[in-house]
Amino acid sequence: MVHTEVDPSLEGHGIGSKLVEGVLAYSEAHNLSIVPLCPFVSAYLKRHPDWNRIVSTSYTATGF
């Protein structure tokens, strides 16, 4: 996940979190792993460590 963006008028309403959660759920449902390059996604994963189950262990953010 490279970048997430929400219109500034919608910031602070949980839209970004819902977006990330939807992508994570989709990824898991389709047996995909993610590499969280986006700072917002990385922060989300720190707050919701249960999603670390779909984070790729083959690649790191520093490997790009």
Side-chain angles (χ1 to χ4, degrees), residues 9 17 19 21 25 28 43 46-47 58-59 64:
S9 67
S17 293
L19 174 66
E21 186 177 307
E28 183 173 51
K46 286 179 184 172
R47 290 189 313 272
S58 299
Y59 302 98
F64 284 85

Side-chain angles (χ1 to χ4, degrees), residues 10-37:
L10 299 173
E11 289 179 1
H13 292 93
I15 304 295
S17 293
K18 289 291 184 188
L19 174 66
V20 171
E21 186 177 307
V23 171
L24 295 174
Y26 176 91
S27 298
E28 183 173 51
H30 290 86
N31 297 314
L32 301 172
S33 296
I34 66 155
V35 177
L37 299 177

